[in-house]
Amino acid sequence: MRIDIITIFPAFFDALDISLLGKARQTGLIDLQVHDLRDHTHDRHRTVDDTPYGGGAGMVMKPEPWGDALDAVLPQATDAAAGPAVDGPLVIFPSPAGVRFDQAMARELAAEEHLVFGCGRYEGIDQRVVDHYAARTRVRLVSLGDYVLNGGEVAVMAMIEAVGRLIPGVVGNPESLVEESHENGLLEYPSYTKPASWRDLEVPPVLLSGNHGAIAAWRHDQQLERTRRVRPDLLPEANAENTHSTRG
Ligand SMILES: Nc1cc(-c2ccc3cc[nH]c3c2)n[nH]1
C-alpha cells in the first residue's frame, strides 16, 4: 500500500518510523511519504492560510498550496466531466463533520492500494479543495470521534495505525488480529499472564484448567458481559431494534 500524508507539521509523523509501521516501511510493505504543505507555497513567507470570507474568527487554509500538493501526489487528475475516478487513490480529509471512523472502515481502507491524507489546521481547508477533488476522484471526510482536535494529524496517525496493522505481513501473528475488540462486534475479553497470583489477585481458574472449550465459553461470556456493561449499543439486539420492520 502507498500512503501520502500532506501536513504543515511533517515532524508529527516521525513516530511512523518506529515499531511495526516503521518495519513495514523498511520492508516495503507500506510506501509512506510525508509532504510539507509549505513546500507548495510560492511566497517568501510560505503562507498557507488567510482570513475567512464572510468574517469570523480564525484563519482558513488557502486552496492554492493544497491544489499543488494534491496534484503532486495524485495521478493526472481526470477531467471533472468524466466524473470521479472510481479506481484511483482515496483522498481522506479528517474532519469533525466527517463519517465516523471505525473498525469496519479500517478494514475497508486496508484493502485500498493508495491512500492520500490531507491534514487540515486552523479553521479548516477552503471548501473548494474538497469540491475540486471530489469531482475528479474519491474523497471522504472522516471523523475520529465527537470531539474537536486542533488539526487532522492526530486523526491521521490513528487511522494509519488502525489500517496499517490490518495489512497482511505488518503484524507478526495474524491470529492476534482476530480476537480483539470490535473484530466480532463485541469488546475483547480480559487477558492475564504469569504470575498466577499477584497482590492477592488470582487468575480466573478456568484459564488454568486446560479445558479449551470451557476457556472459549468463558471468554465469550466475558465479551458479552463487558459489552453489555460498557457498550450496549454494540450488541446485536441493540442494532436489531434499530432496523425498522418492513411489516408495518
Ligand atoms: N474527529 C475530529 C477531527 C477533527 C479535526 C480535523 C481537522 C481539523 C482542522 C482544524 N481542526 C480540525 C479538527 N477534530 N475532531
Side-chain angles (χ1 to χ4, degrees):
M1 176 186 285
R2 177 180 166 183
I3 298 176
D4 288 289
I5 305 171
I6 300 169
T7 172
I8 60 171
F9 295 125
F12 202 100
F13 296 98
D14 288 353
L16 293 177
D17 291 333
I18 59 178
S19 187
L20 290 177
L21 288 175
K23 200 183 303 178
R25 293 176 74 183
Q26 286 153 18
T27 58
L29 266 177
I30 297 176
D31 168 18
L32 189 144
Q33 303 297 323
V34 183
H35 310 274
D36 187 341
L37 181 67
R38 292 191 194 278
D39 292 344
H40 296 274
T41 58
H42 306 292
D43 65 303
R44 193 154 58 94
H45 299 293
R46 292 161 61 88
T47 306
V48 294
D49 63 309
D50 205 334
T51 53
Y53 277 121
M59 303 290 272
V60 175
M61 299 192 94
K62 295 168 57 61
E64 303 98 320
W66 276 103
D68 289 3
L70 285 164
D71 285 352
V73 297
L74 293 172
Q76 189 54 40
T78 55
D79 170 25
V86 294
D87 53 354
L90 176 60
V91 181
I92 295 175
F93 295 104
S95 166
V99 176
R100 182 72 175 267
F101 183 69
D102 60 11
Q103 192 64 17
M105 191 188 295
R107 281 195 291 267
E108 200 188 310
L109 298 185
E112 291 285 342
E113 285 181 21
H114 185 186
L115 296 175
V116 177
F117 290 97
C119 300
R121 278 275 157 173
Y122 306 100
E123 297 307 311
I125 303 169
D126 186 300
Q127 181 61 35
R128 290 169 293 181
V129 174
V130 174
D131 296 344
H132 173 85
Y133 287 96
R136 291 161 174 80
T137 189
R138 293 176 298 145
V139 172
R140 210 181 279 184
L141 298 188
V142 178
S143 167
L144 201 58
D146 294 338
Y147 42 84
V148 182
L149 302 166
N150 288 329
E153 286 80 4
V154 166
V156 168
M157 186 69 90
M159 286 189 263
I160 287 177
E161 174 144 332
V163 171
R165 65 195 297 276
L166 297 178
I167 293 171
V170 173
V171 169
N173 174 10
E175 270 300 300
S176 64
L177 296 175
V178 175
E179 294 186 325
E180 293 185 312
S181 286
H182 306 294
E183 265 314 309
N184 63 356
L186 299 174
L187 300 185
E188 62 194 9
Y189 51 76
S191 296
Y192 300 83
T193 188
K194 293 187 279 298
S197 181
W198 176 72
R199 296 188 181 181
D200 295 334
L201 296 170
E202 311 303 320
V203 170
V206 66
L207 297 179
L208 309 177
S209 68
N211 178 337
H212 297 295
I215 290 169
W218 179 86
R219 284 174 166 172
H220 190 249
D221 290 347
Q222 289 292 310
Q223 284 188 281
L224 286 171
E225 186 281 328
R226 190 178 252 191
T227 307
R228 278 195 196 98
R229 178 164 40 87
V230 179
R231 288 292 306 276
D233 59 295
L234 294 177
L235 289 172
E237 53 266 29
N239 296 317
E241 281 163 14
N242 296 337
T243 49
H244 298 294
S245 160
T246 55
R247 287 190 291 280

